[in-house]
């Protein structure tokens, strides 16, 4: 959601900015813009993609070695050229790019209008740059001081970069609630929403903390001050990201690459944690909090989107194996519903990006009530990873496709390890079952590999159904969250309406939708409520619905009933989500490609939702 890139140094800034924006495209956006500081502040912006911006500036002078660029995901005001960033201050001496939402923008705006400011856009951002100009002019302070004073008046979230015509050797950047990273090269600095635009130039980075302002000057050391005016020593970290990991590596789309990476990413998420020989699970990141978890009256798992589906699998696993009560909460609901939570509770926040605003807010709420807060995150150094007391990284590697795939299976793998660890320590699992599950879990990457070999068959099935407008996904038990995730994947990238339902609930509503045009995707693997799911399949068939079933290899019973079957390797019931999800990801992918959709950057969606 909104991408920020800025550069100052000896090189031409424009190519670095454009490449940086392209690296950030995965976050989701609807317009793009840039500002080159070359004697004047030269702003170019347009609705659409980064490629549209490149086309738009092709005959313009974009030279200069200081500049900033932005991709906007609309919040205040429709996606158009006027609302795109950068925004000028009234006298055009300052320009800003911004990610986040200024919540008190309406009050600030009317105050500024009373003081003679005029607004050209509908954005909350323009308010901030006028405010900075107002402070700078009236209080005669430096740019960084004007930014600092202005940020003290702002309620909301922001990652900003400000350039001033009068200071051609300076970039001011600040963050609160929205991520920002400063890259430090030789005589040059980069600023970006995440490390992907920076990695090919330097591995030395500083992740800004909330309410920190970076004062970046040519040929000087990076300085950081807080909004409350305290000086901070920049904490320089080495990036572990590799350039290969953020490129497509021969695949047509990032999503397909990431689906096919899953044997590796699931293995990586368990590496050094699953010890079959010793009959042990270790999770170093939460070692000091094990006792807290074991004594917890209940565990609350909070997340959004796909991560919320992983949380549901986690609930089933932890309750099933470790017998600790678990509640799963949408972060956006939890944060506003005055939940009962105290020191005896443990909250686990799951997030691929580690930047989801609602999940961050849920964490702060739980921390405020004295609960222990743990994280399951993919992005090291992310806000959620830092806001939690401790956590487990999923180690799935960078996920660029907006629709989450390998992050989901890595989250589920980590939750399985957690449930097993707690069960063993609590003594709620017989040793032979524990050992059997460890061995089976260890074989999952190989079974996922086998499942991926079904890609051609799945593509053929996609060809039969890519034209539909509605679809239903059914599963029971551990396969219910899989059904939800399958439906979410399809709607996200193909724009086909898809509903995930617990199979038995179908007769309380969705059954009314079933006719000969309705494809029903059923996860009907052998363990669990297999017979009951077969009855649900019969109910669909009786109403002429089309059945596409995910079954275990060699299951002739469902084969005789279904219109299409995808046969996956058999595993323990509680591990099925790690395998059954794969064909549903591939189905969505092929259907979306056949419909001509932009698979990696679906309309209206953002990879990392940094506003509530
Ligand atoms: C967005 C993404 C989803 C993701 C959700 C939660 O909606 O498009 O793919 O599942 O945010 O993101 P998180 O990074 O917290 O897992």
């Amino acid at each position: 959601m909104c991408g920020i890139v800025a550069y100052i140094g000896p090189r031409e800034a424009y190519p670095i900015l454009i490449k940086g924006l392209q690296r950030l495209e995965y976050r989701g956006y609807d317009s793009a813009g840039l500002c080159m500081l070359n004697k004047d502040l030269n702003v170019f912006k347009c609705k659409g993609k980064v490629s549209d911006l490149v086309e738009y500036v092709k005959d313009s002078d974009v030279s200069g070695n200081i500049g900033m660029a932005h991709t906007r995901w609309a919040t205040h005001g429709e996606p158009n050229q006027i609302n795109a960033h950068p925004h000028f201050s009234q006298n055009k001496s300052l320009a800003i790019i911004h990610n986040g939402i200024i919540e008190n923008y309406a009050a600030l705006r009317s105050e500024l209008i009373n003081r003679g400011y005029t607004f050209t856009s509908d954005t909350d951002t323009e308010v901030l740059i006028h405010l900075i100009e107002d402070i700078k002019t009236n209080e005669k302070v430096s740019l960084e001081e004007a930014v600092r004073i202005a940020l003290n008046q702002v309620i909301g979230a922001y990652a900003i970069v400000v350039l001033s015509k009068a200071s051609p050797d300076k970039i001011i950047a600040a963050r609160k609630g929205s991520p920002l990273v400063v890259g430090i090269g030789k005589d040059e600095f980069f600023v970006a929403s995440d490390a992907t635009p920076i990695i090919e130039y330097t591995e030395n980075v500083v992740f800004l903390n909330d309410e920190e302002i970076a004062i970046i000057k040519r040929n000087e050391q990076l300085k950081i001050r807080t909004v409350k005016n305290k000086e901070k020593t920049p904490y320089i970290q080495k990036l572990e990201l590799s350039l290969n990991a953020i490129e497509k590596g021969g695949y047509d789309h990032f999503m397909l690459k990431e689906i096919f990476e899953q044997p590796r990413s699931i293995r990586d998420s368990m590496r050094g944690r699953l010890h079959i020989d010793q009959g042990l699970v270790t999770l170093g990141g939460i070692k000091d909090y094990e006792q807290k978890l074991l004594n917890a009256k209940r565990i609350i798992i909070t997340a959004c989107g796909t991560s919320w589906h992983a949380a549901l699998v986690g609930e089933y696993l932890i309750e099933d194996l470790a017998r600790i009560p678990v509640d799963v909460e949408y972060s956006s609901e939890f944060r506003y519903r005055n939940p009962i939570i105290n020191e005896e509770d443990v909250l686990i926040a799951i997030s691929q990006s580690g930047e989801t605003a609602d999940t961050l807010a849920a964490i702060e709420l739980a921390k405020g009530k004295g609960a222990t807060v743990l994280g399951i995150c993919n992005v090291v150094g992310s806000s959620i990873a830092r806001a939690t007391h401790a956590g487990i990284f999923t180690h799935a590697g960078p996920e660029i496709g907006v629709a989450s795939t390998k992050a989901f299976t890595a989250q589920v793998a980590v939750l399985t390890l957690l449930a097993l660890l707690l069960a063993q320590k609590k003594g709620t699992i017989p040793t032979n079952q524990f050992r059997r599950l460890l061995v089976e879990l260890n074989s999952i990457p190989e079974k996922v590999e086998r499942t991926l070999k079904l890609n051609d068959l799945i593509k053929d099935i996609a060809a039969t159904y890519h034209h539909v407008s509605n679809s239903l996904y059914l599963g029971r038990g551990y396969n219910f969250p899989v059904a939800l995730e399958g439906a979410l994947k399809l709607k996200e990238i193909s724009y086909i309406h898809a509903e995930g339902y617990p199979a038995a609930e179908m007769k309380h509503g969705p059954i009314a939708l079933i006719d000969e045009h309705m494809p029903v995707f059923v996860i009907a693997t052998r363990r669990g409520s297999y017979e009951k799911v077969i009855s649900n399949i019969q109910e669909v068939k009786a109403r002429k619905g089309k059945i596409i079933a995910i079954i275990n290899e060699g299951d002739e019973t469902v084969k005789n009933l279904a219109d299409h079957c995808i046969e996956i390797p058999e595993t323990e019931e509680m591990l099925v989500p790690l395998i059954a999800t794969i064909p549903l990801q591939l189905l969505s992918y092929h259907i979306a490609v056949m419909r001509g959709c932009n698979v990696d950057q679906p309309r209206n969606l953002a990879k990392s939702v940094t506003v509530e």
Side-chain angles (χ1 to χ4, degrees):
M1 185 170 274
C2 295
I4 284 178
V5 198
Y7 174 79
I8 180 166
R11 314 183 208 208
E12 277 302 307
Y14 176 74
I16 295 172
L17 296 178
I18 291 297
K19 200 161 187 192
L21 286 189
Q22 282 160 344
R23 293 251 189 252
L24 293 174
E25 280 191 301
Y26 78 95
R27 297 168 71 88
Y29 70 104
D30 37 50
S31 49
L34 67 98
C35 172
M36 301 301 308
L37 174 44
N38 189 359
K39 296 193 191 75
D40 214 340
L41 290 167
N42 302 308
V43 167
F44 308 92
K45 50 191 193 175
C46 64
K47 187 180 168 196
K49 294 288 173 194
V50 177
S51 52
D52 297 315
L53 179 66
V54 171
E55 185 59 30
Y56 181 71
V57 301
K58 78 174 189 299
D59 299 323
S60 311
D61 178 11
V62 285
S63 60
N65 43 33
I66 168 168
M68 61 184 182
H70 188 263
T71 45
R72 172 176 186 253
W73 190 88
T75 57
H76 294 64
E78 63 174 279
N80 60 24
Q81 187 182 31
I82 291 173
N83 290 332
H85 298 209
H87 289 284
F88 277 124
S89 64
Q90 176 113 322
N91 64 16
K92 295 211 154 116
S93 65
L94 307 175
I96 191 171
I97 53 178
H98 167 222
N99 173 11
I101 292 182
I102 310 294
E103 285 171 16
N104 58 337
Y105 91 102
L108 291 171
R109 188 179 160 116
S110 20
E111 214 174 286
L112 285 160
I113 289 173
N114 288 340
R115 297 157 81 117
Y117 284 84
T118 49
F119 286 80
T120 49
S121 78
D122 307 317
T123 66
D124 50 336
T125 306
E126 205 184 351
V127 170
L128 186 52
I129 197 66
H130 285 343
L131 182 62
I132 296 169
E133 180 191 298
D134 194 56
I135 294 165
K136 197 169 178 306
T137 323
N138 291 317
E139 305 200 13
K140 309 230 170 340
V141 289
S142 64
L143 178 62
E144 51 270 39
E145 186 57 6
V147 170
R148 193 187 70 75
I149 298 170
L151 292 179
N152 271 291
Q153 299 180 30
V154 155
I155 300 170
Y158 53 78
I160 55 164
V161 177
V162 180
L163 293 180
S164 163
K165 190 172 155 178
S167 310
D169 294 315
K170 183 151 68 176
I171 290 178
I172 305 299
R175 79 156 268 178
K176 182 184 177 192
S178 297
L180 215 51
V181 191
V182 180
I184 306 174
K186 191 176 172 317
D187 304 325
E188 59 186 353
F189 293 95
F190 306 81
V191 181
S193 299
D194 64 38
T196 53
I198 298 177
I199 184 64
E200 59 189 287
Y201 309 106
T202 176
E203 52 178 22
N204 296 320
V205 295
V206 174
F207 291 96
L208 289 187
N209 290 309
D210 275 351
E211 305 211 320
E212 284 183 352
I213 302 168
I215 301 135
I216 302 165
K217 291 189 193 160
R218 206 186 285 282
N219 304 324
E220 285 188 26
Q221 301 279 327
L222 168 68
K223 288 203 187 68
I224 296 181
R225 298 195 81 78
T226 67
V227 169
K228 300 280 172 275
N229 211 11
K230 264 181 62 188
E231 193 160 338
K232 288 281 196 80
T233 312
Y235 172 55
I236 302 174
Q237 285 178 266
K238 284 246 176 293
L239 282 176
E240 281 175 13
L241 201 67
S242 80
L243 201 54
N244 280 349
I246 56 168
E247 290 182 336
K248 279 191 206 143
Y251 286 91
D252 287 346
H253 298 95
F254 280 109
M255 182 181 176
L256 191 62
K257 175 182 173 233
E258 287 157 7
I259 292 173
F260 273 86
E261 274 174 355
Q262 286 174 106
R264 193 227 10 102
S265 54
I266 296 174
R267 196 166 288 295
D268 284 350
S269 71
M270 303 192 294
R271 196 182 302 285
R273 296 168 168 172
L274 174 66
H275 313 278
I276 298 194
D277 298 349
Q278 302 158 57
L280 261 187
V281 168
T282 51
L283 293 168
I286 56 156
K287 186 103 201 70
D288 296 343
Y289 289 86
E290 259 173 41
Q291 213 47 49
K292 196 87 205 175
L293 274 161
L294 292 166
N295 295 338
K297 285 250 157 40
R298 85 187 153 143
I299 294 172
I300 300 159
I301 315 184
T302 192
C304 304
T306 289
S307 299
W308 187 82
H309 296 153
L312 278 187
V313 182
E315 175 187 23
Y316 288 26
L317 284 163
I318 296 171
E319 292 206 344
D320 208 355
L321 293 172
R323 310 305 295 151
I324 304 171
V326 179
D327 290 337
V328 174
E329 300 264 5
Y330 284 113
S331 305
S332 54
E333 286 298 309
F334 181 74
R335 63 182 288 194
Y336 284 120
R337 69 165 185 78
N338 194 16
I340 300 168
I341 176 159
N342 58 43
E343 299 82 10
E344 290 177 334
D345 294 320
V346 175
L347 179 117
I348 302 177
I350 306 182
S351 175
Q352 186 286 127
S353 63
E355 301 295 345
T356 303
D358 284 322
T359 308
L360 256 174
I363 288 170
E364 294 309 333
L365 176 87
K367 274 187 10 193
K369 306 237 179 203
T372 298
V373 180
L374 306 177
I376 295 180
C377 289
N378 196 35
V379 180
V380 178
S382 59
S383 304
I384 291 176
R386 288 182 296 151
T388 41
H389 294 122
I392 313 167
F393 284 113
T394 44
H395 296 310
E399 192 179 66
I400 308 286
V402 164
S404 187
T405 52
K406 64 173 179 172
F408 174 77
T409 45
Q411 288 163 348
V412 173
V414 160
L415 286 159
T416 312
L417 291 173
L418 177 63
L420 283 166
L421 171 88
L422 296 177
Q424 193 192 31
K425 301 249 157 164
K426 260 196 125 136
T428 49
I429 185 168
T431 310
N432 57 350
Q433 190 196 357
F434 180 77
R435 291 217 169 231
R436 208 180 59 234
L437 278 167
L438 290 197
V439 172
E440 191 53 33
L441 190 54
N442 194 47
S443 74
I444 291 292
E446 181 265 320
K447 291 186 176 177
V448 168
E449 190 104 54
R450 257 161 65 194
T451 308
L452 289 167
K453 297 217 163 83
L454 304 171
N455 189 33
D456 287 344
L457 163 83
I458 294 170
K459 198 170 170 184
D460 289 346
I461 299 176
T464 313
Y465 294 101
H466 75 275
H467 58 275
V468 302
S469 323
N470 291 294
S471 61
L472 196 57
Y473 284 70
L474 303 178
R476 294 180 85 141
Y478 283 93
N479 285 332
F480 164 51
V482 175
L484 292 179
E485 178 56 13
L488 179 64
K489 272 314 69 102
L490 188 71
K491 78 182 94 168
E492 279 179 322
I493 60 170
S494 74
Y495 320 137
I496 294 173
H497 172 235
E499 270 194 71
Y501 244 76
E505 272 292 303
M506 177 189 61
K507 46 190 165 309
H508 300 291
I511 201 163
L513 303 172
I514 292 174
D515 61 15
E516 68 276 23
H517 305 296
M518 181 70 135
V520 183
F521 300 88
V522 188
I523 305 110
T525 45
R526 267 198 208 104
R527 317 273 175 106
S529 320
Y530 174 67
E531 274 82 19
K532 295 194 186 301
V533 174
I534 292 182
S535 308
N536 300 136
I537 291 176
Q538 301 276 19
E539 290 158 8
V540 174
K541 288 305 308 167
R543 287 154 187 89
K544 300 196 167 59
K546 298 276 180 283
I547 293 282
I548 305 96
I550 313 291
I551 58 170
N552 282 133
E553 288 165 345
D555 177 348
E556 296 302 321
T557 314
V558 180
K559 247 195 219 167
N560 289 331
L561 291 171
D563 296 273
H564 302 273
C565 281
I566 301 168
E567 295 181 62
I568 61 172
E570 195 154 350
T571 186
E572 295 278 343
E573 184 192 354
M574 56 190 67
L575 304 183
V576 172
L578 289 166
I579 303 178
T581 308
I582 313 289
L584 299 180
Q585 295 170 344
L586 283 169
L587 259 169
S588 305
Y589 170 79
H590 290 301
I591 289 176
V593 170
M594 286 168 193
R595 289 167 73 93
C597 299
N598 186 342
V599 174
D600 283 334
Q601 295 155 37
R603 70 181 181 206
N604 304 340
L605 294 181
K607 179 76 185 155
S608 150
V609 180
T610 51
V611 298
E612 67 168 281

